[in-house]
């Protein structure tokens, strides 16, 4: 009986000692594995790392507009046509971002797509990037048009670069 009580106390002391040693009070002791800290498993690496070869980016500047909602809605909706990106090759996990910015309204909307090798396994491919049609408070819309900026960016292991950028006029439609 005495032996089992000793084993229990030794187990409790061992657990307590390990908890204290690996806690924030003792620096330099880490029992976790050294490796990828992004939460991504496998050989793909961190999000935004890697590279992509983009051969074409198309933006429809004429289709950007602020449009009243249907069925008597007072809200306006920022409508942004899809951008298309032609990918030739992808390595790792680079990121494509499609963004619209309307400074006079304080609006910025964007979307992101995390790429991987599967996008170009069968050869070059065309990818559509979208920005959601988000509502805009009608009290903020006081002009008949606004200047805006559309852009498509690629984030890779060597940094972020703008693939295409356009200045556009956003027409307000009732």
């Amino acid at each position: 009986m005495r032996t089992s009580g000793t084993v229990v106390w030794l187990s409790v002391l061992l657990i307590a000692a390990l908890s204290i040693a690996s806690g924030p009070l003792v620096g330099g002791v880490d029992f976790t594995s050294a490796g990828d800290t992004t939460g991504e498993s496998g050989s793909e690496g961190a999000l935004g790392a890697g590279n992509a070869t983009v051969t074409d980016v198309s933006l429809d500047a004429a289709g950007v507009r602020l449009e009243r909602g249907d069925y008597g809605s007072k809200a306006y909706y920022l409508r942004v046509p899809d951008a298309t990106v032609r990918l030739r090759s992808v390595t790792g996990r680079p990121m494509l971002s499609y963004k619209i910015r309307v400074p006079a309204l304080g609006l910025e909307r964007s979307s992101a797509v995390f790429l991987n090798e599967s996008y170009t396994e069968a050869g070059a491919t065309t990818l559509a990037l979208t920005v959601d049609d988000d509502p805009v408070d009608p009290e903020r819309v006081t002009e008949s048009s606004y200047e805006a900026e559309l852009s498509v960016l690629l984030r890779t292991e060597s940094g972020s670069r703008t693939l295409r950028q356009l200045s556009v006029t956003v027409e307000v439609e009732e």
Side-chain angles (χ1 to χ4, degrees):
M1 199 90 181
R2 203 155 222 353
T3 307
S4 66
T6 305
V7 171
V8 170
W9 279 109
L10 286 175
S11 298
V12 169
L13 286 173
L14 179 64
I15 291 170
L18 287 174
S19 297
I20 291 170
S22 67
L25 297 176
V26 179
V29 178
D30 187 5
F31 293 120
T32 59
S33 62
D36 186 16
T37 60
T38 63
E40 294 294 314
S41 59
S43 61
E44 295 175 339
L47 296 175
N51 206 351
T53 303
V54 177
T55 58
D56 186 42
V57 178
S58 297
L59 298 173
D60 179 10
V64 181
R65 65 193 184 283
L66 273 170
E67 184 179 272
R68 281 266 191 205
D70 292 334
Y71 309 109
S73 171
K74 294 187 190 263
Y76 287 93
Y77 287 85
L78 181 61
R79 310 282 190 203
V80 182
D82 292 352
T84 56
V85 177
R86 180 92 171 143
L87 296 170
R88 186 172 48 198
S89 65
V90 176
T91 58
R93 299 287 310 264
M95 179 184 78
L96 280 173
S97 176
Y98 182 31
K99 180 172 34 174
I100 182 165
R101 196 171 67 82
V102 187
L105 293 174
L107 287 176
E108 188 170 310
R109 304 284 194 265
S110 64
S111 66
V113 175
F114 293 98
L115 305 173
N116 60 44
E117 287 88 357
S118 69
Y119 281 88
T120 55
E121 281 178 342
T125 187
T126 301
L127 183 65
L129 304 174
T130 62
V131 173
D132 289 338
D133 296 339
D134 289 333
V136 178
D137 183 4
E139 293 176 7
R140 295 173 66 189
V141 180
T142 59
E143 304 294 326
S144 60
S145 66
Y146 294 92
E147 294 305 308
E149 186 178 275
L150 277 176
S151 59
V152 175
L153 298 108
L154 176 65
R155 180 178 167 201
T156 66
E157 61 195 5
S158 58
S160 184
R161 67 183 169 141
T162 302
L163 299 176
R164 184 95 193 265
Q165 187 169 354
L166 287 178
S167 292
V168 299
T169 300
V170 179
E171 297 293 332
V172 177
E173 297 179 1
E174 294 296 326

